[in-house]
Amino acid sequence: MTSHHPEHGVASAASSTTFAHSPQNHGAENESTHTDLEKNAPHADADAEKGAPTVSSEDSECPDGGLKAWLVVLGVSCGVCATFGFVNAWGIFQAYYETYTLRTMSPSDIAWIGSVQYALVFMPGLAFGRLFDMGYLRLPVFLASALLIVCTFLTAECKEFWQFLLCQGFGIGLASGTVFTAAAGVVPHWFDKKLGLAFACMAGGSSIGGTIFPIILKNLIEHQSFQWTLRITGFIILAFLVVLNLCIERRLPPKPKPGPFVNLSLFTNATYTIYTLSLFVGFLGLYTCLTYLSISGVLAGVDRDLSFYLLSIANATSLLGRIGGGVLADRYGPFNVLIPGTLITAAMTYAWPFAVTKGPLVTVSVLYGISSGVFVAIMASPLSRMGKLTDVGMRVGMSLTLMSFGALAGPPISGAILDHTGSFENVGYYAGTALTLSVVLMTVARYRLLNGKFLGNA
C-alpha cells in the first residue's frame, strides 16, 4: 500500500523552516524584520492587492500563540489531513484497481498513478514557494482546493488508465502539493519558540488523514459503489478544505526581492550534493513496502480485512516516528537520528516479503511506520546546516524537487520487478538495497559535515 508518507514531507519542510526561525536567531531576525518593513512601506498597496497584510514594526514580533495563530494551525492541519492524508490512502486504490477497475494492467503500470501523486506533493515547492514569497496565499490555496474536489469527483467517473492518471495522479497530486507548500510556509509567520509544537500539530493532521481515509475507503467500497465511495469521500475532503480556507492567513508582508528560482551553484558544495543524492536514492525504495504491504498480505492468505488495515496501522504509528524523531534530532543532531532510522526502515523493507502471517505483518507495519516516520520527519533538517541561512529555502526546495523524482520512479520500478519475477522477495531486495545505499550516502555526507570526524552532533 502506498502511504507515501506525505506526513513525512510535512514534517521535513517543517524542520528546515524551524531552523530558519529558531530562537537562537530571534534577535537577528527581529532587527532585519524592522529594516525590511521600513523598506517595504512603499509597497503596501501592492501587498494589499495580493491579499498579504502589511505589518508595522511594532507588530512584527511572532505572537507564538493566541486564538488567531492556533486557528491558522487548525486550518493547515485540516488542509494537510485532506491532502496528504488522502494521498496516503493510495494503497487502497492500488489494491482495488489491480483487482477490479484496471485488472488487465500490470501493477507497475497502475503504480504510476500513485507515484505521480507523491511526486507532485513535493515538485510544486519551488514554484509555489516563490509565489508565497511574493505575497500570494489565499488565491492559490482556494484554486488548489477547488481542483482537489473536482478531481476527486471526476476520479469516480474514470474508466481508463489515462483518465485515472490525469485526475488522480496529476490533479490531486498538484493540488496536494500546493496546499502542503502553503501550510509549511505560513506556520512560521505565527510561531517562533513554539514552532516545533505548531508543526507537530500540522503533521498530526497528516497522520490522522493517513489513518482514517484508508478505513473510510475500505468500508465504503464494501457497502457502496466505487463512484459513491469517491463522492462521499469528496464531501469529507470538502469539509476539511472549508476550514483550511477560512483559517489560513499570512502575517508578514512579502519579500521585496525573492531572488532566483534555482541556484545550481549550490551543487558545488559536495556535502549538499551527496546528501541530496541520498534522498533521491532513499525515495526509490521508501514507498515500496507501503505500496504493496496490503496486497502482499492478501496474496499470502492473511485475512483480507486485516491486510487492508495494515496501511492505517503504518500511518498511525508513523506519528510516533515523526514526533520522536524531531525531539531526538533537536538534542542529538538530525544525522545522528536519521541514519539509524533509515537503516531500520531498510531492515523492515527487507523483512516485509517474508512476513506472511498476521503477527509478522503487524510487526513490520508498526516498525516500518515508526522508522519511515523518522526519515520523512527530519530529512530536510541537515540541509539547514549546509550553507547560509538566507539560502535555506532554496536548498530545501531544490533537494525536495530532485527527491520527488525518486518518489516518482520507485513504485513503478518495484512493480516492474514484481511483474517480471512474480516475487515480493525480489521487490524487497531492491527497495531495501536502495534504502541501504541511501544510508551509506548519508554517512558520507555526515562525515564531510563534521570535517572528517566520526563523532559529533550533526
Side-chain angles (χ1 to χ4, degrees), residues 99-236:
T99 307
Y100 301 104
T101 314
L102 301 175
R103 59 183 176 275
T104 59
M105 300 191 66
S106 67
S108 60
D109 289 338
I110 296 172
W112 277 108
I113 303 171
S115 295
V116 169
Q117 270 192 128
Y118 291 119
L120 286 176
V121 166
F122 301 106
M123 281 184 182
L126 283 177
F128 182 77
R130 173 55 53 80
L131 290 175
F132 182 82
D133 288 343
M134 293 170 62
Y136 295 97
L137 176 64
R138 284 186 176 274
L139 179 59
V141 169
F142 174 78
L143 294 176
S145 301
L147 178 63
L148 179 58
I149 296 300
V150 169
C151 288
T152 301
F153 281 100
L154 286 177
T155 301
E157 309 303 324
C158 292
K159 303 295 183 182
E160 304 293 334
F161 171 77
W162 69 267
Q163 297 170 341
F164 285 106
L165 182 64
L166 180 63
C167 295
Q168 192 169 9
F170 285 98
I172 292 177
L174 181 61
S176 299
T178 301
V179 171
F180 162 62
T181 307
V186 77
V187 172
H189 279 213
W190 298 92
F191 292 89
D192 182 4
K193 295 180 181 178
K194 296 180 181 178
L195 185 60
L197 175 61
F199 271 128
C201 293
M202 185 181 80
S206 176
S207 180
I208 292 171
T211 302
I212 66 172
F213 276 112
I215 296 174
I216 290 172
L217 289 166
K218 177 194 175 297
N219 285 279
L220 283 176
I221 287 175
E222 290 180 351
H223 299 92
Q224 303 287 338
S225 65
F226 178 77
Q227 288 76 15
W228 273 107
T229 294
L230 267 294
R231 291 165 189 159
I232 294 171
T233 302
F235 284 116
I236 295 173

Side-chain angles (χ1 to χ4, degrees), residues 37-55 134-136 253-254:
L37 290 169
E38 294 170 2
K39 293 179 179 178
N40 291 341
H43 302 283
D45 293 339
D47 298 342
E49 290 178 4
K50 297 172 184 175
T54 55
V55 183
M134 293 170 62
Y136 295 97

